[in-house]
Amino acid sequence: MNKTPLFTLFAILCVVLTACNAPLPPTSSGSAPSNESQPAADSSQPAAATEDHSHAGGADSDHPHTSDVDLTHLELGDGKYSTSPQAGYVYSCITQFNGGGATGTGSWMNGDGTWDATKKAVVDGSVTWPSSFTLSLQGGQRIFTGNDLPNHPTGNFPVDPGDDAYAVDRNPNSIQEQSITLSLPANPTAAAQPNCVGGEVGIMLSGVVIFSAFDAEGRDAVAHEVQDECDGHPQISGFYHYHSLSDCIEDTSTSGHSSLVGYAFDGYGIYGYYDEDGAEVTNDDLDECHGHTHIVEWDGGMVEMYHYHATHEFPYTVGCFHGAPAVRALSAGEGQGQGQQPNGQGQATGPAGTGQGQQGQPPQEAIAACAGLSEGASCSINTPNGTVTGVCGAPPNSSQLACIPAGSNGGQPPASTQP
Ligand SMILES: [Zn+2]
Ligand SMILES: [Zn+2]
Ligand SMILES: [Zn+2]
């Protein structure tokens, strides 16, 4: 499928439509991105080719929680997507991942289908941002507004050539302020059947969107992509995001069950790594959507309800939606335009899971393609190069469904536009 005509279509329409808001330039109140800038906790580290970070561990020494998970041998989740709910997999709406080409291979790959989270490179830096994030309950809905800028520091993006992470992942994108308005059911109910996930799965209490476990190629994003100290990085339109629980989101529970750390797009809570007995949760403890049901703290009370858990095991947070997702994506998808290969030729493709144009609004053609159809219905858009098929979904700030091209780059610019 040639994606360029679709992007061109989106781009032209976004120029025409005043509703297509251009992303605001990034604002940093902290140090300017610089190769010299290091987070305090990192300052004693040698500039080794591979830094030894235990930040993926969640093994805080002041935490009585316990873990039997071996972070040095985590199973790679590459290609672990399914077309029906399956524990340990992502039940993915997207089964054609168009990312291509070889990528750098991290020295933290063990070569036996496992990887070592304690040896993974990290994008260095400590840039602070004017984060804006509000949460409120209104008429049975939980309303989120925010700018997707985190309430914690980030690494320097684009990745600096002097950063050890650059050898593996040359993420050329800059973090940019976004405009998020999201309404999720405050008291979600189970769907008749679990629902597939697109490119994104929820929003975290740091104000940052969390993506599925996959990168643009259907590989384990947490294992292959290089993130910063807070486990995040920007995609092609500047959306800072995680693929796993950020170490910079505090689990305020010091024993027993973890605290709430975010919300999935079906409205159910995402909790930290630990279960009621204080032991780390593994896939064996969770169902096909990566959750389970018992009494948890919810809006100030104790309620028996379904919830997801973050794990160090793939798929990390949400494997499918237990309820009906109010939205499947806020951004234009992963599409990091990453120059991951040594020759710097990045791929701008990604699991889009969204019918939105790059700048927040779907083009009229995409909306028209879903006229009279319901969410999840198959749809097609005619382009000068042929028919593009996809699935109808609703953008966050619109009740109108739009056609999400299946396995497309979600209307992102081709890699050639990236630095
Ligand atoms: Zn580092
Ligand atoms: Zn639990
Ligand atoms: Zn990513």
Side-chain angles (χ1 to χ4, degrees), residues 169-192:
D169 187 344
R170 299 180 179 183
N171 189 330
N173 306 308
S174 299
I175 297 169
Q176 292 179 350
E177 184 170 346
Q178 310 292 333
S179 179
I180 293 175
T181 306
L182 179 62
S183 178
L184 303 179
N187 293 293
T189 53

Side-chain angles (χ1 to χ4, degrees), residues 257 275 292 294 296 307 309:
H257 202 267
D275 208 342
H292 62 185
H294 62 74
V296 287
H307 57 282
H309 270 281

Side-chain angles (χ1 to χ4, degrees), residues 310-329:
T311 58
H312 283 111
E313 292 178 324
F314 185 93
Y316 309 111
T317 58
V318 175
C320 53
F321 292 114
H322 184 70
V327 63
R328 279 196 173 87

